[in-house]
Each structure stands twice: as structure tokens, then as C-alpha cells.
Amino acid sequence: AQTVTQSQPEMSVQEAETVTLSCTYDTSESDYYLFWYKQPPSRQMILVIRQEAYKQQNATENRFSVNFQKAAKSFSLKISDSQLGDAAMYFCAYRSAEGNAGNMLTFGGGTRLMVKP
Amino acid sequence: EPEVTQTPSHQVTQMGQEVILRCVPISNHLYFYWYRQILGQKVEFLVSFYNNEISEKSEIFDDQFSVERPDGSNFTLKIRSTKLEDSAMYFCASSETPNTGELFFGEGSRLTVL
């Protein structure tokens, strides 16, 4: 079974600065997908960014980028130019690309990001 | 922007009672899911549903749980006889496709079993 670990329960960043959230995972599979989801306070979880394991290039979405290290099984999220609206719980998630995995996601425990004005 | 909506936002029930949690997925989505998060623990997959059938289910989703799409808009999760350990936040989600990992989540229904 796969596991996803987020070792930072809480992080804080100054507005306009850059912050990196860590995620590691354990899997014996070679093909899979990784995700970062964001859950603002009292709001829905939304997808921030997605990475296919077979792609060497790190995914980027505007101010959000990932550092995907497949051999190390590491998938960190970098938020540049942090904004107050980035304050949220961030979840790292894994999805197998093998068999009939569908959209069964395995989540990490989450990192609460606080943004200081 | 279309959203997944869930009701109730919070339900308190006595152990042994039946509970139905309701969800209205995004209208053009065909794949539906329930996840749950026990306080202090990780979000866990319960079940996926497509074409009026369960596609996948986890070990958590035992005979006490059932899902249904009773009409064209609602997607429900029923717990037949609640236990204390069923206390959790239950998240409904929907997606257009079954395999992109892009799920659209509701805000969750908090279930408290006393």
C-alpha cells in the first residue's frame, strides 16, 4: 500500500516571500500521479497542481511549482510571492496509474500554511 | 462557478441510528466519491461510484455503508447503524473523468456520533 507523509504540520510565511511545503511518499509502483490540494478555512478542497511520475519536467501553475524527485520519492510544493489568500491547509496526494485505480487518492496528513501580512 | 454542495453541514446522532449524508455533485460530472477524515487523521477514500454502480471501495466501506444516486442530482451516503468511530468529516467529490485525479470536493459534512 502507498503512504504519503507531510512532515510539517504547520508552516508560516511572510506575505510576498517564498515557502516550500514538503511531501514524501512510499510506493513500489513506477507509474503514478501526485497532487497538491488546497483547503482554505471552511471552504472546499481544490486542486492546485498535478504531476505525472513519467514526466521529468516539474509542473508549474503560476506562482505554484513542484520539485519532483522520483528517486527520493519526494514531491515538494513551492509557493512564490505568497499572498494572504494562500493561507490554507495543503494536502499532498498520490494516485496509482496502474490497474483500475480510478480516482482513489491517498492523502498526506496536511500542512497548515499561515501567511503573515 | 459550479460547486459540489453537501448537507447537512453538521449532524449529531446517537450510536446505532441511521444517518444519510447528501451531496449534489457538479451537474455534468459522472463520477462520484466519498472520502472521510477522522479528527486528527488523514483524509481516507471510502467509495467511488459511476453509472449507478460502485466502482471501487476501501476496506472502511463495509456493509454498514451504502451509496445511492436516487435521482439525477443527488448522491447519498448512508450509514445504517452508526458507531462512535464513524464520527468524522465526510467529503463528497465529483469528477468529469475517472482518472485525472482532479476531484471537486464539497465543504464536508461533520458527523458526530454520541
Side-chain angles (χ1 to χ4, degrees):
Chain A
Q2 296 81 29
T3 58
V4 178
T5 302
Q6 293 178 247
S7 59
Q8 307 151 317
E10 280 190 359
M11 292 280 285
S12 67
V13 63
Q14 205 70 35
E15 195 175 6
E17 297 294 307
T18 295
V19 65
T20 298
L21 308 184
S22 301
C23 173
T24 58
Y25 57 94
D26 188 25
T27 184
S28 58
E29 298 173 341
S30 59
D31 198 14
Y32 48 87
Y33 299 87
L34 296 164
F35 310 88
W36 280 98
Y37 273 84
K38 167 187 177 182
Q39 186 182 29
S42 302
R43 295 292 299 155
Q44 294 96 329
M45 236 187 300
I46 56 172
L47 180 65
V48 174
I49 200 163
R50 181 177 80 168
Q51 174 80 42
E52 290 93 340
Y54 64 85
K55 289 188 177 177
Q56 292 187 339
Q57 188 172 8
N58 288 323
T60 299
E61 287 286 342
N62 301 315
R63 298 182 295 106
F64 297 86
S65 61
V66 298
N67 183 4
F68 173 49
Q69 301 289 328
K70 191 172 184 179
K73 296 180 182 173
S74 169
F75 182 61
S76 60
L77 175 70
K78 185 170 86 170
I79 306 173
S80 304
D81 185 25
S82 297
Q83 300 175 0
L84 295 178
D86 294 334
M89 183 73 88
Y90 286 81
F91 293 98
C92 179
Y94 172 104
R95 176 191 166 267
S96 172
E98 298 178 3
N100 187 26
N103 275 326
M104 275 192 300
L105 303 182
T106 300
F107 284 87
T111 296
R112 184 172 302 283
L113 178 67
M114 294 171 286
V115 181
K116 299 176 182 176
Chain B
E1 188 171 327
E3 287 187 344
V4 174
T5 57
Q6 291 185 240
T7 54
S9 56
H10 188 194
Q11 180 156 358
V12 181
T13 190
Q14 295 290 324
M15 192 168 54
Q17 294 296 304
E18 177 183 283
V19 160
I20 297 176
L21 305 178
R22 291 182 169 81
C23 169
V24 179
I26 293 174
S27 61
N28 64 331
H29 287 182
L30 299 177
Y31 301 86
F32 314 116
Y33 314 87
W34 285 99
Y35 284 76
R36 80 171 185 189
Q37 185 178 27
I38 295 171
L39 189 64
Q41 299 186 22
K42 296 180 179 180
V43 177
E44 304 171 288
F45 170 79
L46 290 179
V47 66
S48 60
F49 189 87
Y50 168 70
N51 199 26
N52 281 322
E53 287 185 349
I54 290 174
S55 310
E56 298 287 337
K57 61 181 182 177
S58 70
E59 292 177 354
I60 304 167
F61 195 87
D62 61 21
D63 292 344
Q64 291 299 311
F65 291 90
S66 62
V67 289
E68 190 180 30
R69 189 155 164 82
D71 53 42
S73 59
N74 289 285
F75 178 51
T76 62
L77 174 69
K78 182 194 291 187
I79 309 174
R80 284 186 185 69
S81 177
T82 50
K83 304 174 205 160
L84 295 177
E85 54 265 37
D86 294 327
S87 295
M89 182 72 90
Y90 288 82
F91 294 103
C92 175
S94 67
S95 67
E96 277 189 273
T97 66
N99 53 14
T100 64
E102 183 168 13
L103 304 185
F104 292 78
F105 285 87
E107 290 186 22
S109 292
R110 180 168 297 285
L111 175 65
T112 302
V113 182
L114 302 176

